[in-house]
Amino acid sequence: MALEDWTKMTYLNSENSPSLLTINDLEIMKQKGEKISCLTAYDASFSALIDTAGVDVILVGDSLGMVVQGHDTTLPVTISDMTYHSRCVTQARKRAFVIADLPFMTYTTPAVAAENAAQLMQVGGAQMVKLEGAHVEVVAFLVNLGVPVCAHLGLLPQSINQLGSYKVRGKDSVEAAKIIADAAQLQAAGASLLVLECVPAELAQEITAQLRIPVIGIGAGVDCDGQVLVIYDMLDISMGKRPRFSKNFMSDSSSIAEAIQAYHHAVKAAQFPSVEHSF
Ligand code: KIV
């Protein structure tokens, strides 16, 4: 669908209400040592449930390619898919800060990234866009245009055909040093948030301590400033095997709402993840 067609469609939460969390609130949480809770969502119903539970951040992840669309990887996800799902999510939340993923091949140059970030923010209603890898020039360009950026390092699912597997990254000293250097460069380029996926807990702890910006971990130990999980994994309804870094929050809950609340409280209390969910 063309951008003009999208913008003709009305949606409820087209302007940020004053009650929405902002990036400043997340920075203050880091400064105060308050953990940031985050879950993925792809539709209005889950968005509302997550928001009601008090979860701070909703990530409209391109993981939707696997858990919603049934692909083997995130690669087939398009900017139209992301815009559509972002819009579904942003319409239904009242407080949570919403980040949307720029999917594979949508940030090949700064100009391409800017056009696609505009879709996610102007039509999808996202407050921030996330992109995988150390694309320092793209990040600086977007930030200069007023687009808040979340960087993503460690395991990069969009690079699966180069990586060959979804295994932990940064285990050897050379790769660990590169991730540390990339994180510092992305912060210097203006990224406001960093997702660290599947890295040793010790490495994540070091990066989190070094950076001024909040670091959200997934399979990155308890010392990150916050945690994110794919909602279908923590509800144990994903099609594949639940990853080691995730936890089934449904098993001790009588409803989805209760499971989401249990996750939120476990993150806030630094009870999730524990050593068994870390590398
Ligand atoms: O797409 C996604 O859901 C993500 C998380 C796994 C961090 O990027």
Side-chain angles (χ1 to χ4, degrees):
M1 195 185 283
L3 183 60
E4 309 80 71
D5 299 326
W6 277 106
T7 47
K8 273 185 215 140
M9 297 169 77
T10 54
Y11 57 104
L12 299 176
N13 206 9
S14 61
E15 283 169 23
N16 288 348
S17 87
S19 58
L20 288 183
L21 286 182
T22 67
I23 183 58
N24 301 339
D25 296 314
L26 304 181
E27 280 163 10
I28 291 168
M29 285 182 197
K30 171 162 183 145
Q31 286 156 16
K32 290 198 311 195
E34 179 184 339
K35 296 284 184 189
I36 300 165
S37 59
C38 176
L39 280 172
T40 68
Y42 319 101
D43 67 28
S45 299
F46 274 112
S47 172
L49 277 176
I50 292 169
D51 193 66
T52 304
V55 171
D56 302 310
V57 180
I58 299 178
L59 170 65
V60 188
D62 62 354
S63 49
L64 71 86
M66 298 168 85
V67 299
V68 175
Q69 298 175 333
H71 300 297
D72 287 342
T73 71
T74 58
L75 272 59
V77 177
T78 66
I79 193 66
S80 295
D81 295 335
M82 290 307 304
T83 307
Y84 170 80
H85 287 280
S86 297
R87 190 167 152 265
C88 295
V89 167
T90 54
Q91 281 186 154
R93 64 74 162 89
K94 293 190 168 61
R95 172 184 175 273
F97 185 80
V98 175
I99 307 171
D101 268 346
L102 280 166
F104 184 57
M105 287 295 155
T106 62
Y107 46 98
T108 48
T109 67
V112 168
E115 195 176 317
N116 289 315
Q119 281 246 30
L120 294 180
M121 294 183 73
Q122 291 185 297
V123 187
Q127 289 161 280
M128 178 177 274
V129 302
K130 175 164 85 59
L131 55 94
E132 295 183 10
H135 299 282
V136 175
E137 198 195 337
V138 172
V139 170
F141 189 79
L142 290 178
V143 171
N144 198 36
L145 291 173
V147 176
V149 176
C150 175
H152 181 153
L153 294 174
L155 174 63
L156 307 178
Q158 291 175 15
S159 303
I160 185 61
N161 289 323
Q162 281 178 331
L163 300 174
S165 76
Y166 290 104
K167 72 176 173 42
V168 182
R169 310 306 305 186
K171 274 168 94 171
D172 66 77
S173 58
V174 174
E175 200 175 49
K178 167 134 177 56
I179 296 173
I180 292 170
D182 287 348
Q185 279 201 318
L186 287 161
Q187 173 175 272
S192 320
L193 216 57
L194 171 67
V195 165
L196 269 185
E197 180 166 358
C198 288
V199 296
E202 232 175 277
L203 174 61
Q205 182 188 34
E206 186 178 338
I207 294 171
T208 306
Q210 278 180 13
L211 294 191
R212 179 183 26 83
I213 60 173
V215 176
I216 311 290
I218 174 164
V222 76
D223 292 309
C224 296
D225 300 305
Q227 298 293 329
V228 56
L229 283 181
V230 171
I231 184 135
Y232 289 18
D233 287 344
M234 57 80 80
L235 295 177
D236 214 26
I237 53 172
S238 290
M239 289 175 298
K241 196 169 152 255
R242 181 164 37 84
R244 168 175 157 188
F245 57 74
S246 187
K247 178 179 167 181
N248 178 2
F249 281 88
M250 227 16 228
S251 57
D252 291 326
S253 306
S254 57
S255 67
I256 290 175
E258 212 180 288
I260 294 170
Q261 256 171 24
Y263 167 78
H264 173 61
H265 291 140
V267 170
K268 288 282 176 190
Q271 287 164 353
F272 176 82
S274 60
V275 175
E276 65 181 296
H277 311 111
S278 307
F279 301 105

